[in-house]
Amino acid sequence: MILDYETLKLIWWVLIGVLLIGFAVTDGMDMGSMILMPFLGRTDNERRTMINTIAPHWDGNQVWFITAGGAIFAAWPMVYATAFSGFYMAMLLTLFALFFRPVGFDYRSKLENSRWRNAWDWALFGGSLVPALVFGVAFGNLLQGVPFQFDDLMRPTYVGNFWQLLNPYGLLAGILSIAMLAMHGGTWMMARADQAVAERARVAVILLALVVLVLFALGGLWLWMGEFGFRIESVIDGNAYPNPLNKDVVADGIAWIGNFDRHPSFWIAPMLGLFSALVVALLALARRPALALIMSSLTIAGVITTAGFAMFPFIMPSSLVPSDSLTLWDATSSLLTLKIMFWVAIVMVPIILAYTTWAYVKMWRRISVRDIEENAHALY
Amino acid sequence: MISDLVVDLSRWQFALTALYHFLFVPLTLGMTFLLAIMESVYVMTGKQVYKDMTQFWGKLFGINFALGVTTGLTMEFQFGTNWAYYSHYVGDIFGAPLAIEGLVAFFLESTFIGLFFFGWDRLSRRQHLAVTWLVALGSNLSALWILVANGWMQHPVGAEFNFETMRMEMQSFADLVLNPVAQVKFVHTVSAGYVTGSMFVLGISSWYLLKGRDLPFARRSFAIAAAFGLASVISVIVLGDESGYEVGEVQKVKLAAIEAEWETSTPPASFTLFGLPDQEAQKTDYAIKIPYLMGLIATRSVDTPVTGLRDLIQQNESRIRNGVVAYNLMTRLRSGDTSLEVRRQFDEVKDDLGFGLLLKRYVENPANATEAQIQQAAMDSIPPVAPLFWSFRVMVACGFAMLFIFIFSVYLSTKGIAERYPWFLKLVLFSIPLPWIGVETGWFVAEFGRQPWAIGEILPTFLATSTLEAHDLMMSIAGFVGLYTLLAIVEMYLMFRFARLGPSSLHTGRYHHEQQVSPSGNGPLPGPADRLR
């Protein structure tokens, strides 16, 4: 196999995509479950069945998030530096919200007090809703380009503020993200929670899948109208040292949608997103929870990949100085680091998938209200 | 230029969140091993009490672990949010161990911790035991990788500056991983974690013994914690000494600052037991010295000198002058003048580029630095001595105090006479904070002693921050302080509540609070717990 710099840069774009999809499919599932929890669980025990379906898995799921962060640091240090410091308030808000999940899961049922439990239920709800919203908003803004530039020593400076992120397209993407993860969590509830909860989840999934379908299509049409996009004017040498200042970029409203014309195979992603969202609704209608869970995972993969394909090869376009944009060719770490991290990922990811699957298989069963009553002190 | 206020606030935020995170980490490191030991005994002997021990101490562990995970999230993302230039400048090397930590360690620990808590009925005994050991392995592997990352900040090996990308780039992954500083720190740090876990179990078990409650449970917990704790505290002290030796080799400034060693004295250097360091006058008042000791610790010899701070400042001054040359050449290279001659000249001085960057605190372009600014930068190239001097001594005192506690605890538990020494049990109970004081002061020494560098002799701390405004940081610090305080209160409340409840919280019907009170009201009737003796 020829692992030259150019190939590795492309591989790392795929791998970061895989990690982000892995995060949305696993951690997104328990975020979605907790977004639905206050609405679908009517009694304390019903809510506990919902929490306990994810009790053995939330921590492992969350590592997809942490590892995606670490992998972006290792493979795209400039993106890690620019995006996280640029979206400072949004990142902090997400972090503060995420604080309430680990403690919420572990502490909620440790006391019998109903006010205590109710407070933690809303903490879990907020701790899941806010990150889902912010991640969507972040993607919505990346598609539009964000205002940053580099100085001579490559120090990034971001000139926007938090409120500017909440523009119409950003909010559309944010709501799509919430609906998508809630739909995904709903299919998990159909498969694993108490029967009464599962039935309510089924109705929610049908509605949410349709919302996802509409919002995703709307997001695509918006791009079609040619509002945002960036195009590289100069010739890119994929094997050159990564230096984002060495290229010419112009804003071009049809660049994103044009990507799909230049690479017709890219159409697979939006088609997958739309088709599988529809199938999720049908499967929920037909009471097929396990298949619905798989199809909603594919919906997530389709939606995230669509955003990645639209921006290809951009990762973080700059609306302030387009030529300072970060792309998968010029924002990466060195050849050696990409190579080492590639081998680590190639060895470790299959092992991780294997034992994660084992953990899910071992714990797979429907948790009923009776199970909660019988194990009130051992379960969450 | 980034304002001093932004730099100070960024440092405060990092220090607060890192030290807070490390309230929970060491207990996790130690408890996972203790739980694995307890469960191993259960699987080997089949005695129910060991399963109850695993589950009860696991409950307390879980309360702590939740906050460890919570506060760990901050650490993974704070480099990007608050230290953006750092992330760009060294992300090529520093990011790798962080990502590997996720792939190799966090996934393992976090996936199996769910099965540890909820898999008791879904797994066979052996499978569950394997799960518990994997959790311990995972948490310790994560410590390994984070200390590889931290060791590189202290002693950046295997990397070189690349002017094309304006950052440090990895040259050798093996050097990064086998960095002697990282290896020594790893064993020192995880051992400190084992000590923390042991003190925690020992202290709470002592309280049960004092109260005369759940004695078979408490005695066994006491014995395991005492033995594991003694082995661990010896390892902490031995590796701490080894750490001193490594620091003496590669971080001469830190060593001299810890010891308030201003002058290079004739070898072997003596160890200053106590004294009052005076930074301005560059001397230590009222010093009480132990001859030979420092030379032995730092150089393992009686004839190698330990360089004093005054000499180090002088050496740094000449490196700063070199750094100005390096900085000028770097700017020429970056502006396109990449002739072989310039490259060759730059290669000669590029190791001092970081010293040139030190001047950027006082002047935009180091080439324009005045003589006074160079002098100032040299003076600022060592950290404030007094805080290091004192926190180091507090750390060492905690270590030796615990050595005494564990030795005596092992003696009492082998003789089976712990309950006859209530004063000692009380002492152990109130010594529970000692390991935390030790680890927090230890980290303070390690990181404050690294100043003024974010990456030793490569990247100054003040340059490493993000381009943020002071109000951004004030808001985030307020958020962290508020939320962390709230979570600490909740955590402590639950921890005290369940520790007081003891194994009765398992609701097995075998323990103190679940026993029926005898008709005369004179304490519990003999229950199933007594049959366990």
Side-chain angles (χ1 to χ4, degrees):
Chain A
M1 189 160 49
I2 311 152
L3 279 181
D4 61 5
Y5 207 1
E6 190 171 19
T7 317
L8 275 164
K9 286 175 179 174
L10 194 62
I11 288 175
W12 268 100
W13 179 73
V14 175
L15 283 175
I16 300 280
V18 168
L19 284 172
L20 288 177
I21 292 168
F23 155 64
V25 168
T26 57
D27 209 22
M29 182 185 76
D30 55 55
M31 284 182 180
S33 304
M34 290 302 100
I35 291 172
L36 295 176
M37 189 249 295
F39 309 105
L40 301 189
R42 292 192 183 151
T43 64
D44 179 53
N45 278 342
E46 282 186 2
R47 290 181 179 189
R48 285 186 74 179
T49 69
M50 301 178 75
I51 293 172
N52 277 288
T53 60
I54 53 173
H57 305 302
W58 66 264
D59 195 18
N61 293 348
Q62 184 165 272
V63 180
W64 287 92
F65 175 59
I66 295 171
T67 302
I72 291 175
F73 197 175
W76 295 343
M78 269 177 265
V79 176
Y80 179 82
T82 313
F84 288 17
S85 64
F87 298 153
Y88 189 70
M89 278 300 154
M91 281 300 298
L92 264 291
L93 187 66
T94 310
L95 205 53
F96 291 163
L98 285 171
F99 286 171
F100 288 98
R101 284 161 35 90
V103 281
F105 289 128
D106 198 75
Y107 296 174
R108 178 199 182 276
S109 301
K110 284 226 167 4
L111 301 183
E112 305 260 354
N113 183 320
S114 63
R115 275 178 63 193
W116 166 273
R117 290 188 175 181
N118 206 31
W120 282 116
D121 287 347
W122 286 104
L124 284 167
F125 170 78
S128 303
L129 183 85
V130 171
L133 175 71
V134 172
F135 296 140
V137 168
F139 262 91
N141 279 279
L142 287 181
L143 281 158
Q144 298 171 64
V146 285
F148 69 90
Q149 61 183 348
F150 290 102
D151 70 5
D152 297 341
L153 299 183
M154 296 302 300
R155 173 187 288 277
T157 305
Y158 184 94
V159 296
N161 66 38
F162 174 68
W163 303 107
Q164 289 162 357
L165 297 175
L166 303 178
N167 49 57
Y169 196 75
L171 287 172
L172 172 79
I175 296 168
L176 169 61
S177 163
I178 292 174
M180 184 168 81
L181 298 189
M183 166 191 81
H184 190 50
T187 60
W188 174 254
M189 287 299 141
M190 282 170 61
R192 298 281 315 270
D194 186 81
Q195 205 63 54
V197 176
E199 187 51 34
R200 278 170 233 145
R202 199 174 71 88
V203 180
V205 168
I206 298 172
L207 291 173
L208 286 164
L210 296 176
V211 172
V212 168
L213 200 65
V214 170
L215 292 181
F216 183 48
L218 204 62
L221 284 177
W222 205 315
L223 288 187
W224 198 287
M225 290 179 343
E227 268 202 59
F228 344 105
F230 295 86
R231 187 162 45 79
I232 300 176
E233 293 253 278
S234 51
V235 180
I236 290 286
D237 173 7
N239 284 309
Y241 283 121
N243 181 353
L245 309 183
N246 270 351
K247 64 178 178 308
D248 295 319
V249 171
V250 290
D252 173 2
I254 58 159
W256 290 165
I257 210 76
N259 256 344
F260 292 89
D261 291 338
R262 268 193 299 284
H263 311 277
S265 58
F266 280 11
W267 282 108
I268 291 173
M271 289 299 148
L272 179 70
L274 290 170
F275 171 76
S276 40
L278 186 66
V279 175
V280 169
L282 294 175
L283 286 168
L285 210 57
R287 292 191 161 79
R288 301 294 296 275
L291 280 177
L293 181 62
I294 293 169
M295 290 313 284
S296 91
S297 308
L298 289 178
T299 311
I300 291 173
V303 170
I304 293 178
T305 312
T306 302
F309 280 172
M311 288 196 285
F312 182 89
F314 288 87
I315 302 164
M316 193 174 175
S318 167
S319 55
L320 187 67
V321 184
S323 293
D324 284 10
S325 295
L326 297 171
T327 73
L328 67 97
W329 306 119
D330 57 23
T332 68
S333 41
S334 67
L335 174 60
L336 179 64
T337 302
L338 287 189
K339 210 181 266 180
I340 289 162
M341 291 310 300
F342 169 77
W343 287 112
V344 174
I346 287 299
V347 173
M348 290 313 299
V349 171
I351 297 176
I352 291 162
L353 288 176
Y355 63 67
T356 301
T357 311
W358 185 73
Y360 271 88
V361 168
K362 279 287 173 186
M363 300 307 294
W364 184 271
R365 64 175 173 140
R366 190 176 289 285
I367 294 178
S368 66
V369 166
R370 239 188 87 197
D371 293 322
I372 300 288
E373 286 163 354
E374 284 168 3
N375 295 293
H377 297 284
L379 292 173
Y380 274 164
Chain B
M1 230 185 289
I2 304 294
S3 77
D4 282 351
L5 181 60
V6 168
V7 175
D8 287 345
L9 289 173
S10 302
R11 289 182 61 193
W12 270 103
Q13 181 173 311
F14 196 92
L16 285 173
T17 53
L19 289 175
Y20 187 77
H21 176 54
F22 216 76
L23 291 174
F24 310 101
V25 175
L27 191 57
T28 296
L29 289 170
M31 288 297 279
T32 48
F33 258 118
L34 282 162
L35 294 173
I37 293 170
M38 290 170 185
E39 193 176 341
S40 299
V41 180
Y42 164 62
V43 172
M44 284 187 290
T45 64
K47 284 189 184 161
Q48 180 68 30
V49 66
Y50 287 103
K51 183 177 178 186
D52 292 347
M53 278 161 65
T54 315
Q55 289 191 326
F56 169 68
W57 295 112
K59 226 180 199 12
L60 298 192
F61 159 73
I63 295 170
N64 164 78
F65 183 77
L67 260 186
V69 173
T70 297
T71 54
L73 286 168
T74 306
M75 303 317 296
E76 187 82 15
F77 295 94
Q78 195 168 205
F79 292 102
T81 53
N82 290 81
W83 302 91
Y85 198 60
Y86 173 103
S87 303
H88 158 69
Y89 204 82
V90 298
D92 193 61
I93 307 105
F94 190 84
L98 244 58
I100 296 174
E101 183 187 22
L103 288 165
V104 173
F106 284 152
F107 266 116
L108 191 68
E109 177 188 24
S110 305
T111 305
F112 288 114
I113 204 138
L115 292 181
F116 170 79
F117 285 117
F118 301 101
W120 288 101
D121 302 331
R122 318 272 310 164
L123 304 169
S124 71
R125 276 187 192 190
R126 277 162 193 284
Q127 279 176 337
H128 194 280
L129 179 64
V131 160
T132 309
W133 276 104
L134 286 171
V135 171
L137 178 69
S139 64
N140 281 273
L141 278 176
S142 93
L144 172 68
W145 288 102
I146 202 65
L147 285 161
V148 164
N150 181 264
W152 190 80
M153 294 169 74
Q154 315 288 348
H155 180 47
V157 287
E160 269 198 18
F161 180 77
N162 180 347
F163 72 86
E164 304 253 14
T165 50
M166 191 60 217
R167 66 181 180 199
M168 299 298 292
E169 291 187 351
M170 199 194 291
Q171 302 299 315
S172 161
F173 184 64
D175 284 356
L176 172 69
V177 177
L178 301 175
N179 184 348
V181 174
Q183 297 299 326
V184 170
K185 280 186 85 126
F186 166 62
V187 188
H188 183 61
T189 309
V190 292
S191 304
Y194 307 155
V195 170
T196 310
S198 304
M199 268 314 294
F200 180 79
V201 173
L202 195 73
I204 296 173
S205 304
S206 296
W207 188 69
Y208 301 146
L209 293 176
L210 272 172
K211 293 267 163 189
R213 244 183 231 175
D214 299 324
L215 290 175
F217 182 96
R219 282 188 199 125
R220 286 177 169 92
S221 302
F222 188 93
I224 289 181
F228 188 58
L230 180 59
S232 309
V233 80
I234 291 171
S235 161
V236 169
I237 292 171
V238 171
L239 266 296
D241 166 65
E242 189 63 27
S243 210
Y245 176 60
E246 282 301 336
V247 168
E249 294 264 285
V250 298
Q251 289 185 287
K252 294 187 163 31
V253 173
K254 187 191 276 181
L255 179 78
I258 288 170
E259 301 305 350
E261 180 86 348
W262 299 99
E263 304 282 356
T264 310
S265 48
T266 5
S270 46
F271 179 87
T272 308
L273 191 61
F274 284 107
L276 296 177
D278 180 341
Q279 189 100 5
E280 298 245 322
Q282 300 195 340
K283 65 187 177 64
T284 303
D285 301 325
Y286 311 110
I288 304 167
K289 296 196 173 206
I290 305 175
Y292 282 54
L293 186 58
M294 174 124 96
L296 289 173
I297 292 175
T299 67
R300 299 271 193 273
S301 75
V302 289
D303 51 8
T304 321
V306 175
T307 320
L309 287 165
R310 287 189 190 186
D311 286 336
L312 290 165
I313 290 173
Q314 255 176 13
Q315 289 171 18
N316 287 347
E317 190 190 312
S318 68
R319 292 191 73 181
I320 290 169
R321 290 181 201 284
N322 259 343
V324 174
V325 179
Y327 187 87
N328 285 338
L329 290 164
M330 184 271 289
T331 348
R332 269 174 75 184
L333 287 166
R334 280 192 59 80
S335 61
D337 181 3
T338 55
S339 66
L340 273 177
E341 180 56 21
V342 182
R343 283 170 188 257
R344 195 189 55 74
Q345 286 176 6
F346 179 64
D347 281 343
E348 270 173 26
V349 287
K350 77 175 177 185
D351 285 347
D352 290 334
L353 178 64
F355 284 88
L357 294 176
L358 279 179
L359 286 166
K360 282 181 86 73
R361 184 167 168 198
Y362 318 98
V363 56
E364 184 60 44
N365 183 354
N368 303 331
T370 62
E371 186 55 33
Q373 284 168 331
I374 291 176
Q375 296 291 340
Q376 182 65 44
M379 292 303 288
D380 290 346
S381 70
I382 61 160
V385 170
L388 286 167
F389 181 84
W390 284 110
S391 43
F392 179 76
R393 275 148 190 77
V394 170
M395 174 187 78
V396 173
C398 288
F400 280 99
M402 287 186 286
L403 178 66
F404 159 75
I405 287 175
F406 283 117
I407 290 175
F408 202 58
S409 301
V410 167
Y411 168 74
L412 292 183
S413 78
T414 30
K415 291 263 171 186
I417 51 169
E419 288 113 293
R420 279 194 238 152
Y421 292 82
W423 66 268
F424 181 72
L425 296 175
K426 254 181 221 157
L427 175 75
V428 176
L429 176 65
F430 287 103
S431 298
I432 290 181
L434 279 183
W436 276 276
I437 298 171
V439 293
E440 297 284 313
T441 46
W443 272 114
F444 178 80
V445 169
E447 306 310 300
F448 195 73
R450 173 168 45 79
Q451 301 306 323
W453 302 102
I455 301 291
E457 304 187 351
I458 300 271
L459 179 67
T461 306
F462 71 89
L463 262 189
T465 61
S466 299
T467 321
L468 291 170
E469 303 291 334
H471 62 82
D472 292 327
L473 279 144
M474 287 175 190
M475 260 158 63
S476 55
I477 291 175
F480 279 117
V481 170
L483 289 171
Y484 278 7
T485 307
L486 176 75
L487 293 175
I489 292 169
V490 174
E491 201 253 16
M492 291 301 275
Y493 171 73
L494 287 173
M495 198 61 109
F496 272 93
R497 188 186 165 96
F498 279 88
R500 286 212 173 100
L501 212 50
S504 309
S505 62
L506 298 173
H507 294 267
T508 56
R510 280 188 290 272
Y511 292 100
H512 178 80
H513 291 287
E514 303 162 293
Q515 310 289 312
Q516 286 172 316
V517 176
S518 64
S520 59
N522 288 337
L525 287 172
D530 298 271
R531 287 199 294 275
L532 288 167
R533 279 176 210 198

